[in-house]
């Protein structure tokens, strides 16, 4: 729904800073991406049908060293993703005639780009489903541009840390998948790195959240050795409000429920007292 220009924007929290908006772009038109500057902090792709909101976000985020491209729907989103690198996707779940959750799933299955969802205050079920599909964070409307900017920066930082295969906090490097690696196979299971899905020994396909996928990939890249919570946390893109050591324990518990015959007596992911966790089985790389 387009906001009434004569009223305060329903998308901004009271008191939020916003530049005087330029005339909104036509419905469906992409706001041209700005040329990156030497101090640019990343390229954000905004997918929202509200042209005035896209314009406001373009002005505000560009003023904080972010390059912004704004589009109104899934078709334009796919074109941008196919044509140039994107550091973060800001996706409205309520697009006219389109399923925002389906778009989030499509992007997560084919690309590593981080996703932040824009949702309404009454859309808790959609927010939970979006996070389960692998979205990295969400912001509810009405929102503060300052809060949105902080969340975008935090997600991009975590994404860069994951992509760099972060040296562990103690300086120990945790490997990441090599170029051309298609999947990992272990104990009858197969983890597909392209679709980010897990195939069970009996042929069932299991969906993984973003955190579960990141952790399982880290384990498969360096099996049969202990990893501390801090090292594993460095490779996980988790919800901004949940980043602390014990989050790893929750993700491990979820993985055990999917992988273990008896999660109470794990044989695949075992606890190493005083050290963290160890991935027990031998891992075969599939190319």
């Amino acid at each position: 729904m387009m906001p009434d220009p004569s009223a305060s924007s329903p998308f901004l929290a009271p008191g939020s800073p916003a530049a005087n908006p330029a005339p909104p772009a036509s419905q469906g038109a992409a706001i041209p991406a700005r040329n990156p500057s030497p101090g640019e902090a990343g390229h954000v792709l905004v997918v929202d049908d509200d042209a005035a909101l896209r314009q406001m976000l373009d002005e505000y985020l560009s003023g904080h060293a972010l390059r912004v491209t704004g589009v109104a729907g899934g078709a334009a989103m796919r074109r941008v993703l196919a044509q140039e690198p994107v550091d973060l996707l800001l996706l409205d779940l309520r697009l006219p005639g389109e399923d925002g959750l389906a778009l989030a799933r499509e992007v997560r299955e084919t690309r590593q780009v981080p996703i932040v969802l824009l949702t309404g205050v009454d859309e808790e079920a959609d927010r939970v489903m979006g996070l389960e599909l692998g979205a990295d964070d969400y912001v509810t409307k009405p929102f503060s541009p300052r809060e949105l900017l902080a969340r975008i920066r935090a997600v991009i930082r975590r994404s860069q840390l994951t992509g760099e295969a972060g040296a562990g906090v103690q300086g120990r490097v945790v490997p990441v998948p090599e170029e051309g690696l298609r999947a990992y196979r272990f104990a009858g299971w197969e983890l597909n790195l392209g679709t980010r899905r897990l195939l069970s020994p009996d042929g069932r396909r299991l969906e993984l959240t973003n955190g579960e996928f990141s952790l399982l990939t880290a384990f498969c890249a360096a099996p049969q050795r202990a990893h501390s919570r801090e090292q594993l946390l460095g490779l996980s893109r988790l919800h901004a409000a949940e980043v602390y050591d014990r989050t790893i324990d929750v993700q491990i518990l979820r993985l055990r429920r999917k992988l273990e015959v008896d999660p109470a007596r794990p044989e695949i992911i075992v606890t190493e007292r005083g050290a963290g966790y160890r991935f027990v089985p031998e891992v075969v790389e599939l190319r």
Side-chain angles (χ1 to χ4, degrees):
M1 179 183 295
M2 292 290 294
D4 180 357
S6 65
S8 60
S9 172
F11 302 104
L12 299 178
S16 299
N20 293 326
S26 61
Q27 183 76 7
I31 298 175
R34 299 170 185 266
N35 292 326
S37 63
E40 198 167 79
H43 180 197
V44 177
L45 173 58
V46 178
V47 184
D48 196 296
D49 64 300
D50 188 324
L53 178 61
R54 295 198 307 271
Q55 184 72 32
M56 183 277 292
L57 291 174
D58 176 57
E59 293 176 355
Y60 185 79
L61 298 177
S62 296
H64 291 82
L66 288 163
R67 178 184 173 205
V68 179
T69 301
V71 300
M77 176 196 76
R78 295 183 190 97
R79 286 195 296 271
V80 174
L81 288 172
Q83 292 171 358
E84 55 184 310
V86 171
D87 296 294
L88 183 137
L89 175 65
L90 185 61
L91 175 63
D92 185 12
L93 286 181
R94 295 300 182 186
L95 297 171
E98 296 188 88
D99 184 348
L101 287 173
L103 291 177
R105 181 187 298 109
E106 173 187 330
V107 172
R108 178 52 63 234
E109 290 180 349
T110 58
R111 301 177 185 276
Q112 297 288 339
V113 59
I115 302 172
V116 174
L117 304 175
L118 291 176
T119 74
V121 292
D122 297 324
E123 297 171 4
E124 179 180 0
D126 286 347
R127 292 197 296 272
V128 172
M129 179 64 71
L131 292 172
E132 287 297 315
L133 288 174
D136 298 85
D137 203 348
Y138 66 84
V139 176
T140 58
K141 299 177 181 179
F143 58 81
S144 158
R146 287 194 184 99
E147 178 186 356
L148 176 63
L149 176 63
R151 291 183 178 274
I152 287 174
R153 285 173 169 170
V155 170
I156 290 178
R157 280 196 303 270
R158 292 202 302 275
S159 172
Q160 291 170 343
L161 178 61
T162 303
E164 291 168 1
V169 175
Q170 302 300 325
R172 178 179 174 185
V173 174
V174 180
V176 290
E178 299 176 7
E179 189 72 23
L181 187 59
R182 179 176 62 84
Y184 289 114
R185 184 174 292 157
F186 60 91
W189 295 84
E190 185 174 309
L191 176 63
N192 189 301
L193 301 179
T195 64
R196 303 169 69 93
R197 286 177 178 166
L198 188 62
L199 184 66
S200 73
D202 61 5
R204 291 177 297 113
R205 295 186 182 276
L206 283 73
E207 298 287 343
L208 297 174
T209 67
N210 197 45
E212 291 166 355
F213 175 80
S214 296
L215 279 177
L216 189 53
T217 301
F219 278 130
C220 289
Q224 301 176 330
R225 68 180 72 173
H227 298 291
S228 71
R229 291 185 181 90
E230 291 173 321
Q231 291 166 343
L232 293 171
L233 184 62
L235 292 179
S236 303
R237 291 194 216 153
L238 302 173
H239 189 274
E242 299 176 332
V243 179
Y244 53 92
D245 282 357
R246 293 300 171 184
T247 302
I248 295 298
D249 298 334
V250 174
Q251 299 293 331
I252 294 290
L253 177 61
R254 291 175 178 171
L255 279 178
R256 283 173 171 168
R257 287 172 178 168
K258 293 179 178 180
L259 295 173
E260 305 284 359
V261 175
D262 182 359
R265 296 176 177 83
E267 297 180 351
I268 294 177
I269 303 175
V270 300
T271 302
E272 295 282 350
R273 292 193 179 278
Y277 296 98
R278 179 167 57 91
F279 195 70
V280 175
E282 181 180 349
V283 176
V284 177
E285 297 180 347
L286 304 179
R287 298 180 183 274

